[in-house]
Amino acid sequence: MLFLGAGLMLVQPCASAPFQFGTTGSLVIARTNHTATLLPNGKVLVAGGTDLFRSFASAELYDPAIGTWTATRSLVTARTN
């Protein structure tokens, strides 16, 4: 399960306590109006977006196994919405 809130923090269910959530790592670049795609390997790809002043071409991967975000290759063109 995935929840991206205003603080752009991903939370996931705790394995030891069903129906309770714990916080995990924050995005490398805070953004809104981005895409978030669950990949077949269980990682989440976040791409594009904006900080309300500029659009981003950057992308990041979230690894739920270790709770961290990693910058990855960027889009060719910055995109939002």
Side-chain angles (χ1 to χ4, degrees):
M1 290 186 190
L2 173 70
F3 171 77
L4 290 173
L8 295 175
M9 191 176 300
L10 185 118
V11 293
Q12 61 186 17
C14 298
S16 61
F19 307 108
Q20 292 185 356
F21 291 87
T23 58
T24 186
S26 296
L27 290 160
V28 175
I29 297 174
R31 61 185 77 215
T32 187
N33 299 329
H34 54 276
T35 64
T37 305
L38 179 61
L39 302 176
N41 64 3
K43 294 181 180 181
V44 178
L45 174 66
V46 168
T50 180
D51 65 2
L52 302 180
F53 299 103
R54 62 183 179 218
S55 293
F56 297 123
S58 62
E60 303 179 34
L61 278 173
Y62 176 71
D63 185 344
I66 56 177
T68 59
W69 291 91
T70 306
T72 189
R73 294 186 63 178
S74 295
L75 302 166
V76 173
T77 305
R79 300 176 189 275
T80 188
N81 293 325

